[in-house]
Amino acid sequence: MKKSCFLALLLFLFGLKASAQTSSAVIEKKIEVLLKKMTLKEKIGQMNQLSADDMETNFKVIQQGMAGSVLSITNPEIANKAQRLAVEQTRLGIPLIFGRDVIHGFKTIFPIPLGQAASFNPGLVEKAARVAAVEASETGIRWTFAPMIDIARDPRWGRIAESCGEDPYLTSIMGIAMVNGFQGKNLSDPSSIAGCAKHFAGYGAAEGGRDYNTTAITERQFRNVYLVPFEQVVKKANLATIMTAFNANDGIPSSGNEFLLKEVLRKEWNFRGFVVSDWASINEMVDHGFSSDNKEAAEKAINAGVDMEMVSGTYVEYAESLWKEKKIAIETINDAVRNILRIKYSLGLFENPYVKGNTKEVFYKEEHLKIAEKLAEESIVLLKNEGQILPLQKPKTIAVFGPLANAPHDQMGTWVFDGDKDHTVTPLFALKEKYGENITIIYEPILKYSRDQDSTGFDKARKIAKEADVVLLFLGEESILSGEAHSLSDLNFQGLQSKLLETLQKTKTPLVTIIMAGRPLTIEKEVTQSNAVLYAWHPGTMGGPAIINLLFGIVNPSGKLPITFPKNVGQIPMYYGHLKTGRPANGSELNLNNIPIEASQTSLGNKSYYLDSGNEPLFPFGFGLSYTNFEYREIALSKTILKKDDILEITLSLKNTGNYQGTEIVQLYARDLAASVALPIRELKAFQRIDLKAGEEKRVMFKLPISDLAFYGMDMKKKVEAGKFDLWIGSNSISGEKVSFEVK
Ligand code: NOJ
């Protein structure tokens, strides 16, 4: 019986694989048949993406067969009209693909991606991306420009909000989850949208955190850090498309980077989808000083392997003459068109070009809102809880202050084009709705928005706070202060927010600060002055109920930081997985306050650290508190000497020693102690979410393939090098008992 079941399963799996192979073979055949019929002009048309700004002109261009895609149409009727022109009025009837920035939700807005990463819950993140796909596809959008999987280590960079943080492993896991959610089980399902991993590559390493700025990433850093998530989504999530970045790395703009696009992406990773440029990043190669004019920019981008051009129109203008001048080969054009058609066929656009547009049935569905609420709950990080002031214990009067307590627009965060603020549930609304009958709630924003400089209301705030049992202070950033082109050089609270906090702290009423922001802010002083701090990122449509559930202990916080919080801007760049240096600090260094006057200079015993703020972050990567406590015990390794193809088993016992049920995110870090090149002091290799009732204890096991310790060493080949390794299992990137093993 069992045997026959197994056999049936094998046959089923074999059948699945075979049918996938057949369908991809069928698609390849169709592509070749169509390609043969296409004129050069029609091919170039497929490589052109229009923006929806001027649809009247677009309709004409589409009818002439000179567009393969339009970005940012969100009205199903307009989408169908444009599609009808492409399908019914062009010679070959090739459908358009409609793209849009659906970054963290379409109508139902989820936490910003940085917040989603703090959940360490890829299953839930995948569900959120699925909801986004279901809502967006109903308007005709079959392609999102997400996920952004740029490794981001500088909170000055506004786009850190859109990233999954600083770590290649966590970003890979989240990127795979998002792509799986967007693309669904099968791309041809009308509710699936093609994913687009961006920005290829290195965009997040902009010098000084200033958007679009130059980067200086070495090939080894690319391969060991910045490219890791891209390789993973290509290989493990069947990613449909990739977007080139704006930055020039080592003088080479990404849209002209043949090495990355051809050698790495196509040859090494065998990527079969298509590459789109970022908005006008092709003609911007002229501004970079990498091309003398738009024509040369088009030549360089086509030859580098950018298949589709986003909006700047240089392909349509120059590709034909470039071909006549033999500067680009017809095979290069053919390959680009093949890549684009492959995704159009896979999406089923030829069979199903139009959209029903039943938007009322899918937008903001109850089940979508539930997922948004759960993800917001899991993304919020408890940074401080002095004297277990949280969860709140039946307060009679609550004073609510701050510009983010009732900010339905800002709570949604950056990159929200389609979410409607009328659907946002703010913390103030949720508090009143859930507890308004039993608790006296007094609300005064005092500051109207995060940059507000008006202190007129401070006296009033003081009086109200004195009468209350607890103060809930909602601070942070307006959504427009993070995101594209919104970099900052000062990460302290804007406006008079810190002053307001200080004023309230002086009343001695217990103070809970809830921060909504698109990035880590430098909040050392404010954390000290608050009794408890919750970091909520920009939590999206359902952020309000999520925060209230956490404050009242309906849900226990479990989020962990996907990014290091520096104490001040001067410490940046600051990330946990840094190299050790030859003179690592050990905590016993002198600092500004204890250097003797007229001390003589010495070159002995010096260490690498900042005299004024040391090397410790305010909060390390992976950090986050719970209302309960977890004890890690009996960490044991299956072996201490291993071969390169072994799997190391690590077991431990995790006990909930507190009074609340809770979820711990157990993190496994490793370090290769000596290798052909120096490696990070710790690297996240795995994590697990473990749910425990109060007092409960569970055995936890990790299986770590030794091959996961491979890296690009001196010879630029990826492999495991023999030697000694340290390993930690703990609740953040600086905790955990160290155990060691050796690879022979
Ligand atoms: C520019 C941004 O860099 C990119 O991420 C986005 O997808 C495009 N604009 C399209 O809006």
Side-chain angles (χ1 to χ4, degrees):
M1 182 66 183
K2 267 188 183 162
K3 234 184 186 173
S4 65
C5 278
F6 181 66
L7 219 85
L9 182 71
L10 265 184
L11 281 173
F12 174 71
L13 290 176
F14 181 75
L16 273 187
K17 200 171 171 205
S19 89
Q21 277 169 357
T22 337
S23 80
S24 97
V26 169
I27 287 178
E28 293 309 312
K29 258 201 193 131
K30 286 184 180 169
I31 292 173
E32 294 312 317
V33 171
L34 184 52
L35 198 64
K36 282 213 179 77
K37 296 184 195 157
M38 292 173 82
T39 62
L40 178 60
K41 271 214 165 64
E42 284 164 338
K43 290 176 185 174
I44 295 167
Q46 285 304 305
M47 296 165 72
N48 185 31
Q49 182 181 56
L50 305 171
S51 111
D53 298 338
D54 176 4
M55 281 311 290
E56 284 315 310
T57 312
N58 286 352
F59 289 143
K60 290 184 199 130
V61 178
I62 293 165
Q63 208 165 4
Q64 288 155 7
M66 289 316 291
S69 169
V70 186
L71 98 153
S72 293
I73 297 178
T74 51
N75 178 331
E77 280 165 30
I78 298 180
N80 281 339
K81 183 172 172 190
Q83 194 68 296
R84 208 158 282 125
L85 291 175
V87 172
E88 294 169 24
Q89 300 207 18
T90 63
R91 200 176 68 91
L92 296 170
I94 303 174
L96 297 161
I97 173 172
F98 299 116
R100 175 73 161 165
D101 288 285
V102 182
I103 306 297
H104 50 112
F106 184 64
K107 286 288 172 181
T108 304
I109 301 300
F110 299 93
I112 54 170
L114 191 59
Q116 294 191 30
S119 73
F120 281 70
N121 189 344
L124 191 54
V125 167
E126 180 176 332
K127 280 189 186 158
R130 187 92 282 278
V131 168
V134 166
E135 292 189 352
S137 59
E138 203 53 43
T139 68
I141 295 163
R142 294 298 304 281
W143 181 20
T144 175
F145 306 122
M148 186 183 108
I149 47 175
D150 294 310
I151 296 301
R153 295 177 163 181
D154 191 330
R156 290 172 296 183
W157 191 47
R159 298 198 81 169
I160 202 167
E162 207 188 328
S163 79
C164 297
E166 73 187 46
D167 184 63
Y169 177 75
L170 180 61
T171 301
S172 302
I173 298 285
M174 289 298 158
I176 291 169
M178 288 175 188
V179 174
N180 284 339
F182 291 137
Q183 299 193 168
K185 288 201 179 71
N186 195 330
L187 260 190
S188 65
D189 182 324
S191 74
S192 291
I193 60 179
C196 181
K198 65 188 189 185
H199 304 82
F200 197 67
Y203 180 44
E207 280 180 2
R210 180 161 51 80
D211 205 5
Y212 315 126
N213 204 6
T214 305
T215 58
I217 304 169
T218 65
E219 184 181 342
R220 200 178 332 277
Q221 286 168 335
F222 258 133
R223 291 184 180 278
N224 284 335
V225 179
Y226 292 90
L227 295 183
V228 172
F230 289 93
E231 182 175 5
Q232 293 290 309
V233 290
V234 167
K235 293 188 173 163
K236 296 196 178 145
N238 204 18
L239 175 75
T241 74
I242 278 195
M243 187 187 292
T244 56
F246 284 127
N247 61 303
N249 188 65
D250 192 21
I252 305 170
S254 307
S255 294
N257 195 324
E258 220 173 303
F259 170 70
L260 287 181
L261 294 171
K262 284 199 169 151
E263 283 305 309
V264 178
L265 183 62
R266 296 284 176 196
K267 284 203 194 136
E268 292 182 24
W269 303 349
N270 194 25
F271 177 60
R272 305 278 290 153
F274 71 85
V275 174
V276 64
S277 73
D278 201 346
W279 186 289
S281 68
I282 294 181
N283 61 1
E284 284 173 14
M285 295 203 289
V286 178
D287 296 285
H288 277 289
F290 184 73
S291 308
S292 53
D293 53 23
N294 284 353
K295 188 172 175 185
E296 196 190 348
E299 178 191 335
K300 285 192 169 171
I302 293 173
N303 282 331
V306 181
D307 303 315
M308 185 183 278
E309 176 176 22
M310 188 184 281
V311 308
S312 42
T314 67
Y315 285 9
V316 168
E317 206 169 339
Y318 301 110
E320 193 171 353
S321 46
L322 286 166
W323 169 75
K324 282 186 188 147
E325 292 159 27
K326 298 201 169 17
K327 290 190 171 146
I328 50 175
I330 194 66
E331 254 325 283
T332 310
I333 302 255
N334 285 346
D335 278 344
V337 177
R338 280 187 184 103
N339 295 334
I340 295 164
L341 293 178
R342 188 172 298 119
I343 299 305
K344 289 189 175 182
Y345 276 117
S346 306
L347 283 164
L349 287 172
F350 285 83
E351 296 84 32
N352 249 329
Y354 305 114
V355 67
K356 290 203 189 81
N358 290 334
T359 54
K360 279 207 185 107
E361 285 168 31
V362 298
F363 290 174
Y364 301 111
K365 269 169 89 170
E366 196 53 40
E367 61 194 83
H368 297 180
L369 297 173
K370 276 201 185 119
I371 295 171
E373 183 171 333
K374 190 156 173 32
L375 188 46
E377 286 165 355
E378 293 192 7
S379 72
I380 294 168
V381 185
L382 178 65
L383 294 178
K384 179 178 180 182
N385 194 15
E386 193 176 64
Q388 298 285 301
I389 175 182
L390 292 178
L392 297 174
Q393 304 295 338
K394 300 199 177 109
K396 289 200 185 76
T397 307
I398 298 183
V400 180
F401 302 114
L404 271 307
N406 195 31
H409 169 81
D410 289 317
Q411 175 179 322
M412 290 192 289
T414 185
W415 280 112
V416 173
F417 295 137
D418 304 291
D420 183 347
K421 72 171 183 176
D422 293 343
H423 284 263
T424 302
V425 188
T426 67
L428 180 72
F429 184 91
L431 178 64
K432 285 185 175 165
E433 193 182 52
K434 289 180 187 228
Y435 296 99
E437 282 185 7
N438 307 320
I439 299 175
T440 307
I441 298 159
I442 308 167
Y443 166 62
E444 284 292 340
I446 308 295
L447 299 170
K448 293 193 186 66
Y449 58 107
S450 70
R451 289 164 293 158
D452 197 350
Q453 299 280 359
D454 182 0
S455 63
T456 331
F458 279 33
D459 274 343
K460 194 176 187 184
R462 207 175 287 122
K463 277 184 205 131
I464 296 172
K466 275 190 184 152
E467 303 302 316
D469 296 318
V470 63
V471 168
L472 302 181
L473 175 59
F474 290 84
L475 301 182
E477 293 183 307
E478 296 149 74
S479 54
I480 194 61
L481 298 186
S482 61
E484 185 177 351
H486 288 79
S487 297
L488 288 169
S489 64
D490 179 351
L491 300 181
N492 293 323
F493 278 121
Q494 299 291 332
L496 294 185
Q497 295 186 87
S498 292
K499 288 242 159 63
L500 175 60
L501 191 151
E502 204 172 304
T503 307
L504 294 169
Q505 183 230 356
K506 285 188 184 142
T507 66
K508 301 262 176 347
T509 303
L511 173 60
V512 179
T513 304
I514 301 100
I515 300 169
M516 292 187 194
R519 53 159 68 80
L521 294 171
T522 47
I523 48 171
E524 185 175 18
K525 186 179 83 195
E526 292 81 0
V527 170
T528 313
Q529 291 171 336
S530 306
N531 299 96
V533 178
L534 274 179
Y535 215 86
W537 319 102
H538 284 129
T541 306
M542 297 302 283
I547 290 171
I548 300 307
N549 285 345
L550 292 169
L551 289 173
F552 283 84
I554 310 300
V555 177
N556 192 347
S558 61
K560 300 274 188 174
L561 297 178
I563 179 99
T564 303
F565 273 47
K567 288 180 188 160
N568 55 49
V569 165
Q571 284 186 319
I572 298 170
M574 178 164 251
Y575 49 93
Y576 84 91
H578 60 82
L579 303 189
K580 198 169 178 187
T581 80
R583 295 187 170 194
N586 58 17
S588 64
E589 292 74 27
L590 289 175
N591 62 46
L592 268 192
N593 301 322
N594 60 17
I595 300 176
I597 295 165
E598 295 197 356
S600 55
Q601 180 167 0
T602 164
S603 45
L604 288 180
N606 289 338
K607 304 286 183 206
S608 170
Y609 74 107
Y610 292 113
L611 284 177
D612 52 354
S613 50
N615 292 4
E616 301 297 319
L618 181 60
F619 296 109
F621 174 90
F623 177 83
L625 301 170
S626 160
Y627 295 151
T628 191
N629 296 309
F630 298 101
E631 211 176 284
Y632 288 68
R633 298 181 190 162
E634 300 155 26
I635 297 181
L637 304 181
S638 56
K639 293 180 188 173
T640 50
I641 297 184
L642 294 106
K643 293 196 292 293
K644 289 181 185 170
D645 54 1
D646 276 349
I647 293 178
L648 173 62
E649 288 179 4
I650 309 115
T651 50
L652 69 138
S653 176
L654 185 74
K655 185 167 186 187
N656 178 344
T657 56
N659 299 323
Y660 297 88
Q661 170 159 8
T663 302
E664 170 70 328
I665 292 155
V666 181
Q667 302 158 45
L668 186 156
Y669 296 88
R671 173 167 187 227
D672 189 333
L673 296 188
S676 63
V677 295
L679 292 169
I681 59 157
R682 277 194 187 200
E683 289 178 84
L684 182 68
K685 291 291 173 189
F687 60 81
Q688 286 185 43
R689 299 174 56 84
I690 307 292
D691 301 320
L692 289 174
K693 296 194 192 81
E696 195 185 0
E697 184 163 4
K698 271 187 191 164
R699 298 293 295 165
V700 179
M701 189 205 268
F702 284 94
K703 289 187 174 187
L704 179 72
I706 296 302
S707 57
D708 282 3
L709 303 170
F711 61 96
Y712 289 86
M714 187 59 95
D715 59 2
M716 210 55 90
K717 298 216 169 85
K718 191 173 181 186
K719 56 178 181 280
V720 180
E721 292 184 10
K724 292 188 174 150
F725 292 79
D726 285 342
L727 186 145
W728 299 260
I729 294 193
S731 65
N732 63 60
S733 59
I734 58 170
S735 72
E737 181 197 329
K738 185 172 84 183
V739 285
S740 303
F741 63 94
E742 201 173 336
V743 175
K744 294 265 188 192

